[in-house]
Amino acid sequence: MENTEKRGNMISLLNLPESTLDCILKRLTPIELIKMSEVCTCLRDVCRSDHLWENYIKQKWGRIIGDAAYKEWQCHITTIKSEETLLNQHINQNGSLGSFCGAWPVLSLGSYLEDCKHLQSFLSNNSMMALYLSLESGKFWFPAQVYRGTLVRDALFSYDSKNDTFKARQRSGGWQLMGHGISWENLRASPVETPPCVRHVSDCLEDLKPGDHIEIQWKLRSETHYDWWYAVIGHLDSCNKNENYCLCCNSETLVVEFRQYPHGASMRQAKLPRHNNGEQGGNQIGFYGGIRKLHSEEEIEKWKVLLPYDRRYM
């Protein structure tokens, strides 16, 4: 009788205020939340809600999943929600789904979702949970950037949960594996929305002055994609480098110094017009694109760690 009374006085989890239940669920791990969703229909809907899974994505993936990746995911959701006849036009025979941007010969694959047919009903109502699980399983190849020595390169990445690393692939005469075993530290979300096949429109050229840290687009051939290279704005040869008398910031010429190279190296310095938004360079020296100024000390320190020559050849 006493046990019956105790059970009768127990408060069901579903009887808790919504805010209290939400606080409890936020403390669960993704695996625990999935198990909780299997208890009953009511908890299934609550545990699969987007706002809970958005938190998990931000906590684990926030540094490398940027706006471009979210937009690509939304593109897949829109396609999957389309009429079945339209969907079948986008899905390949192996059940994969991908999106493209740009024009031939610099056609870029924006993202890639493997075996998406079984996700059609699941994606419709629980897109953030589906995104998290697709990332964890490695089925969603998402756009991001990887540090590769002296440059940053755009690519598609797939997570290898077994080794807690990533695989990457890029287009080079067809989609090829670019590498595997890539660590979290070497990945970042793209800081701009510009595809790698397009010249970035700079918004900082008027303000650039000697000592500013930048990243600049560069490619070896006109038909290839841009990479991002780290550089520092330098002084003109005619400048006495006295801060009180320096007029370099008023010059129409920008001196771009790649300090990872020693003095005298052909790639050490480039002189570019400040107000020309067109592509600069040629077949012998490569092609320079847009510039983005680095405002974050974290970004600058990352490059200094990767490029020790920056400290040696000042």
Side-chain angles (χ1 to χ4, degrees), residues 12-79:
S12 168
L13 192 64
L14 296 174
N15 290 333
L16 293 174
E18 184 177 337
S19 58
T20 303
L21 177 59
D22 192 59
C23 288
I24 294 173
L25 296 178
K26 283 181 178 179
R27 294 177 180 272
L28 300 180
T29 65
I31 294 177
E32 290 170 341
L33 194 61
I34 291 173
K35 290 181 178 179
M36 183 70 79
S37 70
E38 297 171 351
V39 172
C40 65
T41 303
C42 293
L43 282 175
R44 180 193 64 192
D45 295 337
V46 174
C47 293
R48 291 183 176 183
S49 60
D50 278 351
H51 82 279
L52 289 175
W53 289 93
E54 282 176 356
N55 287 332
Y56 291 134
I57 293 172
K58 289 177 181 178
Q59 289 169 13
K60 182 170 182 177
W61 300 88
R63 192 179 63 81
I64 62 175
I65 296 293
D67 292 339
Y70 280 113
K71 287 181 179 179
E72 286 295 322
W73 182 253
Q74 290 299 323
C75 178
H76 292 314
I77 293 174
T78 301
T79 302

Side-chain angles (χ1 to χ4, degrees), residues 143-281:
Q145 295 181 335
V146 60
Y147 290 93
R148 288 174 62 87
T150 60
L151 56 86
V152 167
R153 177 161 294 171
D154 288 87
L156 297 186
F157 299 89
S158 172
Y159 182 54
D160 178 0
S161 59
K162 182 178 180 180
N163 299 306
D164 194 28
T165 57
F166 294 87
K167 296 178 290 184
R169 63 182 181 181
Q170 62 179 355
R171 184 187 175 278
S172 179
W175 283 98
Q176 299 177 355
L177 188 67
M178 178 173 138
H180 56 83
I182 301 169
S183 66
W184 286 82
E185 290 74 21
N186 283 332
L187 262 64
R188 74 177 189 184
S190 176
V192 299
E193 295 186 5
T194 309
C197 56
V198 177
R199 185 186 186 279
H200 176 66
V201 178
S202 309
D203 60 359
C204 61
L205 299 180
E206 290 284 352
D207 302 323
L208 289 178
K209 62 185 184 301
D212 284 343
H213 299 260
I214 66 168
E215 288 179 359
I216 182 170
Q217 287 177 312
W218 183 86
K219 58 184 178 180
L220 182 60
R221 296 183 297 275
S222 61
E223 68 273 12
T224 58
H225 292 174
Y226 285 111
D227 295 319
W228 288 93
W229 289 62
Y230 168 72
V232 179
I233 300 299
H235 290 272
L236 295 166
D237 296 336
S238 59
C239 179
N240 59 14
K241 300 183 181 180
N242 185 318
E243 183 177 350
N244 295 323
Y245 300 99
C246 176
L247 299 176
C248 294
C249 57
N250 298 322
S251 172
E252 286 298 310
T253 300
L254 282 175
V255 178
V256 179
E257 293 185 349
F258 300 94
R259 295 183 178 178
Q260 56 268 37
Y261 296 100
H263 287 288
S266 59
M267 283 291 292
R268 167 72 184 194
Q269 189 181 92
K271 294 182 179 180
L272 305 174
R274 185 186 294 268
H275 293 104
N276 189 333
N277 280 322
E279 190 173 73
Q280 305 296 316

